[in-house]
Amino acid sequence: MEMQQFYYDNKIVKKFIYATLLWGIVGFSVGLLLAFMFLFPNLTEGISWLSFGRLRPLHTNAVIFAFVGNAIFAGVYYSLQRLLKARMASNFLSNFNFWGWQLIIVAAAITLPLGITTSKEYAELEWPIDIAIALVWVAFGANMIWTILQRRQRHLYVAIWFYLATFVTVAVLHIFNSLELPVSFLKSYSVYAGVQDALVQWWYGHNAVAFFLTTPFLGLMYYFVPKAANRPVYSYRLSIVHFWSLIFIYIWAGPHHLLYSALPDWAQNLGVAFSVMLIAPSWGGMINGLLTLRGAWDKVRVDPVLKFMVVAITGYGMATFEGPMLSLKNVNAIAHFSDWIIAHVHVGALAWNGFLAFGMIYWLVPRLFKTNLYSVALANVHFWVGTLGIILYALPMYVAGFVQASMWKQFNPDGTLTYGNFLETVNEIIPMYWMRAIGGSMYILGALILLYNIIRTVRSGSDVTDELAEAVALTKVPSHRTKGEGYHTWLERKPVKLTIYATIAILIGGIVQIIPTLLVKSNIPTISSVKPYTPLELEGRDLYIREGCVGCHSQMIRPFRSEVERYGEYSKAGEYVYDHPFLWGSKRTGPDLHRVGQKYNDNWHLNHMYDPQSTSPGSIMPSYKWLIRNRLNKSATEDKMRAMVTLGVPYTDDEITNAQTSMNQQGKMIEESLYQDPDFVKNYEADKKYAKENGLEFIEMKDREIVAIIAYIQRLGTDIKVKDDQRITKK
Amino acid sequence: MSVIYLLLSLSILVALIFLIVFIYSVRKGQYDDTYTPSVRMLFDDELVKSNKKLTKN
């Protein structure tokens, strides 16, 4: 037995911990700012890069990829080295992983507020950043696998299986959801359209939750909970069973985000079935985590690390019980688009991810710095402030979601909607938004206490960047397992395995033959009256994407009496065939917009964008004054149309060459229609006069951004209305 | 919608990769002993546990 001495790389772990703390506080703070925007909609009035629609993706990306992402890396880099009894294989790759990831986060923090976004949830970053993410992610995986190959412990502990699954699956998801056709350096269109784009997006989106927020954290749970409790995991066998079943089932559950949408029923039902099954492996993991503390509950009483972990695992259990419930179609009909979902994801993020990360940090930092935690009392304060913060956040949001969704569905005896005005249902839940903001503030307060405690701990400790360790070198496995027999001889004695291999062989053949054949044809019922957007509408749609309108407004009317009554004819798959990307949305802070076209006149939209409260008293929509002032950038319209042609949108060459003329004409028409309002004429002419007198450049209304967005909004959902009119005239 | 065939095949492919890894890991004896690993991970290999400054040799 040869003893080998080597050094663990602690420096990389520390760097990731610092990044976790920094980005955590940034991500939470942006979230809090957004929470206050529900109460004071014009908090950041007139500052485009601080508007709600642009900050929402910044908040979700910062929390998921910056806070949770760095926590994953910190935990993996610490535990992987110790479980394998080996230093990370490459210092370069470790540092490339660290700095690359931070650069990506900075790039996100710059581009998202500037409105550079693909609009696909949790995948908003534009294509150059997507490529960078893929590179850094592969560097992480390569480093991990390389280290595994150099290990001194042959057996791979269950946590490592979770890390490996995370790496493989996130890579596949990220690459396929980010397939987009670049128009310019910072603009691209999703290669998928409408229903297809929605399906790919939620296949990705749900599995971002599964394989970025869940599997790596389960791996961390399997390492840090036993370590902190100094108890072996409750059942190693259960951990194996739940690992394999979890990763297999999770990847099918995506369509539960699209229930009652234009997605075909069989795909919806497939998603529901797998989502319901998910409760078994999820709770297997939760039970295994909690029962690890059997006989050690006295430690939970005194150790803040274990307290955080217990709440984290409990939060995981609650969120994964709720997930399958929310996937049932009758529950989903109520909860979808409401604040219920916001409560659900925050139980997951604040409790499971946040508290497990906090527990891990409280455990790691004293060990990395060879010292004791500066203040256990402060850690306890953090625990209680944070826990109460989560409760105060989640409970009001559950109430808000349920109340608002019930109001949306309430009918009078005469068959009219009781709350026909959407704003009535919004104003009803404002007190709940207040409580949420208070809960969120408490959670951030806790995080600041953590930061202070960690800074003091680090200062009192000593810096051990490379930690000396000793382990036995890897020995060869005796070959008695396979001695003296050929591979197939072995296989022939294993009927089950033989069957499995045979099935694989069949499936591969089937996939190769069937997929290309099927991909050619589309099975969306096409609607002949649905036509591509005009150039001006296309530009308006890009503004809709830039401003993040999709964060608060859905474009998907479900086939319910309450929704058809409120919004109009339910949405059909064939209406979205030219939507690259799809803009169905996942939350209705404001009303659905799929049939808003022609519902209000152009002046209404202009006034509404300028001052939403003037047209809709009590509205919590912020004003979009810059849209009314800015000149519309028409320089890339032809390129955009050509990109759309590549993606299968039937623009003719004539339409592309005449794009500028067409935009000019449509802009003029909208400008003329705006002249119907005497108030508009007065203000507009006064502005014109003022500019002339002072020698300032004057942008004509037809060239402004607002005209493009009005053109787009007025087009929404009208293609099939035209058909109805034609039918009536034929009679 | 035809993209669902791509997604299904990708999902099956991911599942297959894991199935192969599973079979491989079983054959390599990863699950022969389902008790020791849970205890083994509790032991530390670090040589210095005190609050002493460590120097590279």
Side-chain angles (χ1 to χ4, degrees):
Chain A
M1 286 253 196
E2 178 208 350
M3 286 303 264
Q4 295 180 330
Q5 287 204 341
F6 51 94
Y7 291 92
Y8 288 135
D9 185 358
N10 282 355
K11 203 173 176 182
I12 191 71
V13 181
K14 285 175 203 167
K15 282 199 245 181
F16 276 118
I17 288 179
Y18 297 150
T20 307
L21 290 167
L22 170 71
W23 295 121
I25 286 168
V26 171
F28 306 155
S29 305
V30 177
L32 187 65
L33 175 62
L34 294 173
F36 276 106
M37 283 181 178
F38 281 77
L39 307 164
F40 308 102
N42 289 315
L43 197 60
T44 55
E45 185 162 3
I47 309 168
S48 60
W49 48 275
L50 284 180
S51 61
F52 186 93
R54 297 191 190 183
L55 287 185
R56 184 185 188 259
L58 183 67
H59 166 60
T60 53
N61 278 279
V63 169
I64 298 172
F65 299 108
F67 169 62
V68 175
N70 278 307
I72 292 169
F73 291 132
V76 169
Y77 275 99
Y78 182 88
S79 60
L80 190 72
Q81 296 187 77
R82 277 141 186 98
L83 289 169
L84 298 172
K85 300 186 193 295
R87 186 188 173 89
M88 291 309 297
S90 163
N91 286 341
F92 170 76
L93 285 179
S94 302
N95 283 306
F96 181 77
N97 183 182
F98 177 78
W99 291 110
W101 200 253
Q102 310 317 316
L103 269 178
I104 288 163
I105 295 165
V106 171
I110 294 169
T111 56
L112 292 174
L114 290 176
I116 299 163
T117 170
T118 66
S119 88
K120 293 177 76 166
E121 275 186 80
Y122 326 128
E124 286 93 347
L125 302 175
E126 265 299 350
W127 67 274
I129 309 175
D130 281 341
I131 293 173
I133 293 172
L135 284 177
V136 173
W137 190 254
V138 168
F140 161 65
N143 203 9
M144 175 162 66
I145 291 167
W146 192 359
T147 311
I148 290 173
L149 295 176
Q150 295 185 348
R151 67 193 189 272
R152 290 183 180 80
Q153 170 61 54
R154 183 169 297 280
H155 182 270
L156 298 176
Y157 184 63
V158 66
I160 298 170
W161 290 104
F162 278 100
Y163 302 157
L164 284 168
T166 302
F167 166 63
V168 172
T169 319
V170 169
V172 174
L173 294 167
H174 172 70
I175 290 167
F176 282 91
N177 188 45
S178 300
L179 290 178
E180 48 218 356
L181 187 69
V183 177
S184 63
F185 179 58
L186 288 170
K187 177 71 193 169
S188 67
Y189 291 119
S190 173
V191 298
Y192 317 104
V195 178
Q196 309 214 8
D197 199 33
L199 189 63
V200 179
Q201 159 59 29
W202 286 111
W203 174 75
Y204 163 87
H206 184 72
N207 289 299
V209 175
F211 288 91
F212 204 87
L213 299 177
T214 306
T215 53
F217 264 60
L218 283 169
L220 299 182
M221 178 189 88
Y222 275 119
Y223 184 81
F224 289 101
V225 174
K227 276 286 192 187
N230 199 24
R231 286 278 190 291
V233 61
Y234 169 64
S235 165
Y236 194 77
R237 189 185 296 260
L238 178 60
S239 75
I240 295 164
V241 173
H242 106 86
F243 168 76
W244 291 105
S245 47
L246 189 86
I247 56 162
F248 175 71
I249 296 175
Y250 238 129
I251 199 148
W252 302 85
H256 70 217
H257 290 260
L258 301 168
L259 298 181
Y260 290 110
S261 74
L263 185 74
D265 266 356
W266 65 273
Q268 296 185 23
N269 294 338
L270 191 68
V272 171
F274 276 90
S275 304
V276 171
M277 283 195 276
L278 255 181
I279 196 164
S282 299
W283 272 45
M286 184 270 289
I287 287 166
N288 215 359
L290 275 186
L291 290 187
T292 298
L293 298 166
R294 75 209 176 285
W297 286 98
D298 55 311
K299 288 186 186 173
V300 179
R301 206 176 59 214
V302 290
D303 186 359
V305 170
L306 287 175
K307 286 186 201 176
F308 275 103
M309 288 175 173
V310 166
V311 169
I313 300 167
T314 313
Y316 176 66
M318 289 194 290
T320 54
F321 171 75
E322 204 187 355
M325 295 306 117
L326 286 171
S327 303
L328 298 172
K329 289 184 96 171
N330 51 351
V331 181
N332 194 273
I334 301 167
H336 193 46
F337 292 132
S338 82
D339 283 304
W340 188 336
I341 307 302
I342 309 298
H344 172 63
V345 299
H346 280 85
V347 168
L350 299 176
W352 166 239
N353 296 117
F355 267 35
L356 196 68
F358 297 153
M360 184 182 88
I361 290 171
Y362 278 122
W363 186 84
L364 270 178
V365 170
R367 266 163 195 77
L368 291 171
F369 287 88
K370 303 287 164 208
T371 183
N372 292 321
L373 189 64
Y374 166 68
S375 167
V376 173
L378 274 182
N380 278 319
V381 172
H382 174 196
F383 171 77
W384 285 109
V385 172
T387 305
L388 288 174
I390 295 172
I391 294 168
L392 216 54
Y393 187 111
L395 287 183
M397 285 294 96
Y398 284 117
V399 175
F402 200 78
V403 165
Q404 194 179 25
S406 309
M407 289 174 85
W408 288 341
K409 290 176 185 294
Q410 194 68 38
F411 276 98
N412 291 321
D414 66 354
T416 56
L417 287 165
T418 311
Y419 305 98
N421 182 354
F422 189 91
L423 278 172
E424 287 179 88
T425 72
V426 175
N427 292 333
E428 185 71 22
I429 56 175
I430 293 290
M432 268 68 96
Y433 285 146
W434 265 107
M435 278 187 262
R436 180 258 295 269
I438 294 166
S441 308
M442 290 171 69
Y443 195 83
I444 292 186
L445 178 67
L448 291 172
I449 294 171
L450 163 79
L451 183 68
Y452 174 73
N453 209 348
I454 294 303
I455 290 172
R456 293 299 296 254
T457 308
V458 169
R459 281 197 182 162
S460 72
S462 53
D463 200 10
V464 188
T465 48
D466 293 285
E467 184 155 34
L468 185 66
E470 194 175 67
V472 180
L474 189 66
T475 50
K476 280 234 163 190
V477 166
S479 58
H480 66 264
R481 276 179 212 283
T482 51
K483 202 171 74 183
E485 66 173 24
Y487 175 73
H488 210 266
T489 324
W490 169 83
L491 191 64
E492 281 164 8
R493 281 189 286 105
K494 311 274 181 191
V496 179
K497 289 204 177 76
L498 190 64
T499 315
I500 291 171
Y501 288 149
T503 316
I504 294 171
I506 291 164
L507 280 174
I508 292 171
I511 290 166
V512 172
Q513 284 184 335
I514 295 165
I515 303 303
T517 324
L518 289 171
L519 276 179
V520 181
K521 282 185 292 183
S522 165
N523 66 354
I524 302 167
T526 46
I527 303 170
S528 58
S529 64
V530 173
K531 296 278 183 282
Y533 297 104
T534 67
L536 192 65
E537 289 159 5
L538 187 66
E539 288 291 353
R541 190 167 198 274
D542 282 341
L543 294 177
Y544 189 97
I545 291 170
R546 184 186 80 186
E547 299 305 335
C549 305
V550 71
C552 293
H553 295 282
S554 57
Q555 287 187 19
M556 171 47 64
I557 301 163
R558 296 176 291 177
F560 301 145
R561 188 172 149 238
S562 59
E563 298 209 352
V564 172
E565 184 70 23
R566 185 181 297 277
Y567 302 118
E569 179 66 14
Y570 71 88
S571 305
K572 313 201 169 29
E575 293 183 76
Y576 301 102
V577 288
Y578 304 126
D579 282 14
H580 295 272
F582 82 117
L583 291 170
W584 293 4
S586 61
K587 174 71 172 48
R588 281 182 188 153
T589 302
D592 188 279
L593 297 182
H594 192 218
R595 301 263 179 252
V596 80
Q598 309 300 332
K599 196 171 175 183
Y600 305 98
N601 65 31
D602 294 350
N603 285 105
W604 187 93
H605 284 295
L606 183 119
N607 294 335
H608 183 244
M609 290 290 180
Y610 187 79
D611 181 6
Q613 287 73 34
S614 70
T615 51
S616 319
S619 167
I620 58 169
M621 174 164 148
S623 79
Y624 284 84
K625 293 199 166 76
W626 59 90
L627 288 178
I628 291 151
R629 288 194 217 98
N630 288 359
R631 178 193 290 277
L632 177 67
N633 180 358
K634 298 176 184 174
S635 63
T637 313
E638 289 87 351
D639 291 341
K640 288 176 177 178
M641 291 173 80
R642 264 181 231 114
M644 286 294 183
V645 170
T646 315
L647 297 173
V649 179
Y651 286 121
T652 62
D653 288 342
D654 272 0
E655 281 172 322
I656 297 175
T657 32
N658 294 328
Q660 298 294 336
T661 333
S662 152
M663 283 193 284
N664 210 22
Q665 278 173 353
Q666 199 178 359
K668 247 183 201 153
M669 273 168 59
I670 293 172
E671 184 174 323
E672 277 163 26
S673 94
L674 287 171
Y675 263 91
Q676 287 167 8
D677 178 6
D679 281 346
F680 168 80
V681 178
K682 209 171 79 185
N683 290 327
Y684 183 62
E685 293 298 338
D687 281 355
K688 204 186 260 181
K689 206 175 141 197
Y690 178 82
K692 208 176 177 184
E693 280 169 3
N694 294 281
L696 299 167
E697 191 208 12
F698 184 74
I699 306 163
E700 283 186 72
M701 190 50 71
K702 69 178 173 62
D703 294 325
R704 298 193 195 183
E705 290 184 333
I706 185 71
V707 167
I709 206 153
I710 289 177
Y712 172 62
I713 291 174
Q714 296 292 32
R715 170 70 184 274
L716 275 173
T718 54
D719 281 6
I720 63 168
K721 275 186 198 163
V722 174
K723 201 179 177 184
D724 286 347
D725 293 345
Q726 284 168 344
R727 197 166 51 217
I728 292 161
T729 45
K730 262 182 200 166
K731 277 180 192 169
Chain B
M1 252 316 288
S2 49
V3 77
I4 198 159
Y5 300 106
L6 178 70
L7 295 188
L8 283 175
S9 54
L10 277 172
S11 303
I12 292 170
L13 201 71
V14 171
L16 282 183
I17 292 170
F18 283 120
L19 179 69
I20 292 162
V21 173
F22 171 70
I23 293 167
Y24 175 81
S25 62
V26 170
R27 290 197 60 207
K28 284 285 174 179
Q30 282 290 332
Y31 310 122
D32 288 358
D33 174 2
T34 57
Y35 181 68
T36 319
S38 66
V39 179
R40 185 170 47 220
M41 60 84 70
L42 294 173
F43 296 99
D44 292 327
D45 308 306
E46 283 90 337
L47 294 177
V48 182
K49 296 203 171 64
S50 65
N51 195 359
K52 256 192 324 192
K53 257 243 149 98
L54 195 122
T55 45
K56 261 193 187 178
N57 43 1

